[in-house]
Amino acid sequence: MKRMKFPLIKPYLVRKDIQEVTKVLDSGWLTQGKFVEKVEKSLKKDNRVKFAFLLNSATSGLIAGIKALGLERKDEIIIPSFTFPATANSVILGGAKPVFCDIDLETFNLSPEKITALITPQTKAIMPVHEFGLSADMGKIMKIARQHDLFVIEDAACSLGAGYKGKRTGILGDLGVFSFHPRKIVTSGEGGCLITNSSEIAKKIGCLRNHGEYNRKFITYGYNFRMSDIQAAVLYPQLMRINIIVKKRISLALNYNKFLKPLEDKSILKTPVCPQGYKHVYQSYVILLSEKIDRDKLKKFLRAKGVETQFGTHCVPLTDFYKKYFDIPKNSYKNSRYAYEHTLALPLYHTLKMKEQEIIVRELEKSIKKCAR
Ligand SMILES: Cc1ncc(COP(=O)(O)O)c(C=O)c1O
């Protein structure tokens, strides 16, 4: 595959990080061990939460979370229709049924106004996604959940370090799950973490992660959802510099906002919003293009210039599986469909320079002229 001059992502790993991995390899203890414990301790402290469980992926975390809440086949979980399919898949794998809810086009997050109409006697939970690193409107979502006695599971896969009104995402509901896939804020290659303040949920997650074991007894059946110490060693030094990583992402996003302003003023695109009281960590920097631009053609033009871009994320009810097996009303999920067709993620990684961002925006500007419909 051709290496792009400006790839979409580049994990921020330095030479010193490799020494941490070497320590694990030298120790002979490769599976869940001291490094997993160290990373969990740091995640608990950073997020001011009682329990943190490192896992082999965020998908495993969401599945375990749903199982720990005791949801069953007919139980419904309301999720956004604009997200990565893992959100919906984990609901099915966790034993419940996903119910899609459209998003707000300004924030790309679950539209709280559309949730209530979807609540039925079978609804047991709401699972907001903090898309691209911006918190969903958790104040409104929690209010609806309380009114209808629903659990809230935060799919915080993209939002490690993000904030909502002075609190971190992931601890606003009953439980939250982060991802450490390479496109996320920090990475262990693959990996995830579930956080919660509930000791009841924590006990169940501990069992589900490790074959049903609790206090050295197999009290139930469970999975192997463990993260290895090799992966945790990759993660640990990144978490030690998480504030620097997040600060840099925010400053890069603000540069893009500034450079893209002339195009925004001409209504050619919209830059991402960050409402008052929110802290956006820009896991992805995603713009919304005008209908007049052929987004896929634009992607190709940019690729030819060495700039890798990607569509925002999926309109999951319109993917092959969900379209086939779920009763998807015609012309529904208007905003999710629009976002799927018109969003574009630009390169964003720690070592990206402001001058390079200027070049990327210049190439974008030139290519846009050739991609008008
Ligand atoms: C919103 C969302 N949820 C869940 C996941 C699944 O994360 P993982 O790959 O760690 O299982 C992703 C991954 O991209 C995601 O974007």
Side-chain angles (χ1 to χ4, degrees):
M1 203 143 125
K2 193 179 151 193
R3 245 185 116 86
M4 291 281 120
K5 191 168 171 199
F6 300 115
L8 192 61
I9 55 144
K10 255 191 219 176
Y12 176 39
L13 296 167
V14 293
R15 277 271 131 210
K16 221 172 71 200
D17 301 350
I18 296 165
Q19 290 165 359
E20 298 292 328
V21 182
T22 314
K23 277 188 209 164
V24 177
L25 298 176
D26 283 341
S27 79
W29 186 277
L30 308 188
T31 185
Q32 184 181 309
K34 278 191 189 132
F35 266 96
V36 167
E37 232 172 77
K38 265 166 85 165
V39 171
E40 287 177 345
K41 208 169 156 194
S42 140
L43 285 164
K44 277 192 277 188
K45 189 165 165 255
D46 273 6
N47 294 287
R48 281 171 260 130
V49 69
K50 284 190 193 148
F51 305 98
F53 295 88
L54 278 189
L55 304 160
N56 56 3
S57 73
T59 307
S60 300
L62 294 171
I63 295 169
I66 293 163
K67 296 255 181 218
L69 294 175
L71 302 192
E72 290 168 1
R73 192 48 65 197
K74 284 202 183 93
D75 294 340
E76 295 176 354
I77 303 183
I78 296 175
I79 63 167
S81 38
F82 184 60
T83 181
F84 190 67
T87 310
N89 295 346
S90 62
V91 174
I92 298 177
L93 293 166
K97 182 182 172 205
V99 172
F100 296 103
C101 178
D102 207 3
I103 54 148
D104 177 54
L105 258 191
E106 282 281 301
T107 61
F108 301 126
N109 277 327
L110 203 52
S111 176
E113 287 69 33
K114 292 174 185 151
I115 294 176
T116 314
L118 297 170
I119 296 175
T120 71
Q122 277 74 49
T123 310
K124 291 288 159 21
I126 308 173
M127 192 153 113
V129 174
H130 306 305
E131 200 51 80
F132 308 136
L134 175 70
S135 174
D137 188 342
M138 290 304 287
K140 287 188 185 161
I141 291 170
M142 291 308 293
K143 195 170 165 202
I144 298 169
R146 264 183 235 116
Q147 278 166 354
H148 296 270
D149 198 19
L150 305 175
F151 293 116
V152 173
I153 303 159
E154 293 177 71
D155 180 344
C158 310
S159 72
L160 182 72
Y164 174 83
K165 304 199 174 163
K167 286 196 171 165
R168 288 287 187 95
T169 56
I171 58 156
L172 302 157
D174 294 281
L175 62 94
V177 175
F178 303 119
S179 169
F180 303 125
H181 175 272
R183 266 198 79 178
K184 302 303 189 280
I185 306 294
V186 291
T187 184
S188 46
E190 299 287 353
C193 178
L194 184 148
I195 57 172
T196 183
N197 277 316
S198 156
S199 51
E200 204 182 318
I201 294 174
K203 183 177 170 185
K204 289 183 181 160
I205 299 298
C207 286
L208 286 165
R209 168 170 76 169
N210 192 26
H211 306 288
E213 195 202 65
Y214 182 74
N215 276 349
R216 299 187 189 280
K217 288 202 170 107
F218 291 97
I219 59 165
T220 180
Y221 56 93
Y223 302 91
N224 174 359
F225 280 167
R226 294 186 307 255
M227 177 186 274
S228 75
D229 247 30
I230 306 171
Q231 290 168 300
V234 178
L235 207 50
Y236 185 68
Q238 294 172 73
L239 285 173
M240 293 301 103
R241 53 175 187 267
I242 179 101
N243 292 337
I244 298 168
I245 292 173
V246 167
K247 214 167 151 192
K248 184 66 190 279
R249 296 190 83 82
I250 294 172
S251 89
L252 290 168
L254 296 179
N255 291 344
Y256 269 140
N257 285 353
K258 190 169 80 188
F259 300 145
L260 292 167
K261 177 98 179 26
L263 291 174
E264 190 158 30
D265 287 344
K266 288 184 204 153
S267 302
I268 289 170
L269 54 84
K270 279 189 183 155
T271 57
V273 298
C274 179
Q276 186 91 32
Y278 287 59
K279 182 177 179 188
H280 198 326
V281 289
Y282 301 96
Q283 172 263 331
S284 291
Y285 183 89
V286 177
I287 56 173
L288 186 67
L289 294 161
S290 140
E291 280 171 298
K292 291 177 195 142
I293 313 295
D294 183 335
R295 191 267 320 265
D296 293 338
K297 197 167 161 191
L298 179 61
K299 263 180 72 192
K300 280 190 199 139
F301 269 91
L302 286 168
R303 178 164 268 275
K305 296 289 175 191
V307 180
E308 187 184 13
T309 58
Q310 186 56 282
F311 61 90
T313 191
H314 301 262
C315 178
V316 182
L318 300 185
T319 56
D320 291 353
F321 168 75
Y322 289 95
K323 214 165 46 185
K324 196 163 163 192
Y325 292 101
F326 282 67
D327 184 20
I328 307 292
K330 227 175 169 210
N331 298 326
S332 45
Y333 316 114
K334 211 168 124 248
N335 289 347
S336 300
R337 193 187 302 234
Y338 190 92
Y340 171 61
E341 284 167 5
H342 298 286
T343 44
L344 190 73
L346 302 184
L348 190 84
Y349 44 89
H350 195 85
T351 49
L352 184 66
K353 300 207 167 46
M354 199 204 271
K355 282 239 158 332
E356 294 175 321
Q357 289 186 283
E358 281 185 285
I359 298 170
I360 292 167
V361 171
R362 221 176 301 137
E363 290 301 345
L364 180 77
E365 218 170 340
K366 280 195 264 174
S367 301
I368 275 177
K369 286 190 185 136
K370 296 174 199 153
C371 296
R373 282 191 217 266

